């Protein structure tokens, strides 16, 4: 994987894209100013905090690499991460599990009354999975399918999923903007029981290959590789133009 300098800017771009694909959109230079320099724009303080808080977790090796060891530990870790991520949004009840049913595009997530039990049983059910990427996919799906919070579910899910990879020395996952629809389609295929998760794993494998191919040693190098590979492109516009996420240098 190379030394620490090889991944110097990975945490920033992971935080940037994890927020961008959820609708918290900043230009990459402005996001850099927010996360690295602490410059919070007066017009969007809550959005800026989301980016800065995500970066704060991901730039701390102990937090970014902390994987849950039990169902109870996962519940605690979910709440801890959410409390940090949503600290600037008291209306989203930071660190508190949902009390009302939530939906996305008409799809109903796990009911609040069944949430804790489903998370515990899901964690136990995946205990036999030992492959790091498969475990990351399982954690990502479990948390996303449960949607345990009023907001911030995708970001929390990706943090915990990536911890499974970091704990075993594997390359972390980033979902760049142009790959958002592929990622969501992969998740939906599992939710709709279209196969046994092969499509979702295929999406994640390619994302992992892309991360491994980008040069994260400096902001400028990473930015250039991401631009070359169409990572910043709007997914709908890219699709209409026949553009796909590609590996840098390919």
């Amino acid at each position: 994987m190379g030394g620490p300098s090889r991944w110097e800017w990975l945490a920033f771009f992971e935080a940037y894209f994890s927020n961008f694909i959820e609708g918290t959109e900043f230009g990459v230079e402005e996001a850099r100013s927010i996360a690295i320099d602490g410059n919070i724009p007066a017009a969007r303080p809550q959005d800026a905090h989301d980016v800065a808080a995500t970066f704060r977790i991901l730039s701390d090796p102990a937090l970014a690499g902390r994987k849950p060891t039990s169902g109870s530990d996962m519940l605690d870790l979910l709440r801890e991460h959410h409390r940090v991520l949503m600290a600037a949004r008291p209306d989203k009840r930071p660190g508190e599990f949902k009390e009302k049913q939530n939906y996305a595009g008409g799809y109903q997530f796990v009911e609040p009354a069944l949430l804790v039990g489903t998370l515990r049983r899901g964690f136990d059910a995946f205990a036999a999975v030992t492959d790091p990427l498969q475990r990351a996919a399982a954690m990502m799906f479990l948390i996303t399918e449960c949607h345990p919070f009023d907001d911030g579910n995708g970001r929390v899910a990706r943090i915990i999923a990536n911890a499974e990879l970091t704990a075993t020395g594997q390359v972390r996952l980033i979902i760049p903007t142009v790959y958002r629809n592929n990622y969501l389609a992969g998740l939906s295929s599992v939710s709709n029981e279209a196969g046994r998760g092969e499509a979702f794993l295929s999406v994640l494998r390619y994302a992992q290959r892309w991360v491994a191919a980008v040069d994260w040693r400096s902001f400028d190098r990473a930015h250039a590789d991401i631009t070359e590979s169409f990572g910043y492109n709007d997914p709908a516009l890219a699709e209409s133009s026949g553009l796909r996420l590609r590996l840098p240098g390919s």
Side-chain angles (χ1 to χ4, degrees):
M1 287 181 60
S5 63
R6 166 73 175 84
W7 309 98
E8 184 73 23
W9 281 85
L10 179 69
F12 165 73
F13 282 99
E14 183 180 340
Y16 172 72
F17 282 118
S18 194
N19 279 276
F20 200 99
I21 66 171
E22 298 293 344
T24 304
E25 301 180 4
F26 287 99
V28 69
E29 292 284 0
E30 185 175 14
R32 177 186 184 181
S33 177
I34 291 167
I36 306 299
D37 302 324
N39 295 323
I40 305 299
R44 299 175 61 191
Q46 291 180 319
D47 287 346
H49 178 275
D50 291 352
V51 173
T54 309
F55 175 70
R56 190 158 61 249
I57 292 173
L58 296 176
S59 60
D60 183 334
L63 292 177
R66 182 184 164 192
K67 55 178 284 187
T69 57
S70 67
S72 294
D73 188 37
M74 181 176 65
L75 295 175
D76 290 340
L77 189 55
L78 283 168
R79 286 186 286 244
E80 288 174 23
H81 285 333
H82 191 261
R83 190 175 297 114
V84 173
L85 290 176
M86 295 287 110
R89 300 182 184 272
D91 58 312
K92 303 302 181 184
R93 304 169 57 251
E96 300 294 330
F97 288 139
K98 64 185 178 184
E99 295 179 346
K100 297 180 180 179
Q101 182 64 58
N102 47 7
Y103 303 83
Y107 184 81
Q108 178 176 317
F109 297 110
V110 171
E111 297 176 18
L114 303 176
L115 174 63
V116 170
T118 301
L119 286 168
R120 288 182 187 276
R121 292 189 65 180
F123 184 90
D124 291 342
F126 294 136
V129 179
T130 57
D131 177 82
L133 185 62
Q134 291 181 7
R135 281 198 62 82
M139 291 296 103
M140 197 178 293
F141 171 71
L142 173 63
I143 297 166
T144 303
E145 189 72 7
C146 287
H147 247 59
F149 302 106
D150 295 341
D151 194 11
N153 295 286
R155 281 162 282 192
V156 172
R158 287 184 289 276
I159 290 171
I160 290 183
N162 266 328
E164 296 287 342
L165 299 171
T166 295
T168 53
Q170 302 291 308
V171 174
R172 293 173 71 87
L173 297 165
I174 291 178
I175 308 299
T177 305
V178 75
Y179 208 49
R180 178 181 184 272
N181 290 352
N182 304 76
Y183 166 70
L184 294 178
L187 276 171
S188 295
S189 71
V190 184
S191 297
N192 297 323
E193 300 181 13
R196 301 178 60 186
E198 297 93 341
F200 186 40
L201 280 170
S202 178
V203 167
L204 297 185
R205 284 194 189 97
Y206 190 78
Q208 193 177 45
R209 286 181 61 201
W210 178 79
V211 172
V214 172
D215 187 344
W216 304 104
R217 286 177 293 177
S218 72
F219 176 88
D220 290 339
R221 288 177 175 180
H223 180 52
D225 279 356
I226 294 167
T227 302
E228 178 198 339
S229 60
F230 310 123
Y232 295 118
N233 288 43
D234 177 271
L237 294 177
E239 185 172 356
S240 67
S241 303
L243 300 178
R244 301 286 187 275
L245 180 68
R246 68 181 189 183
L247 303 182
S250 64

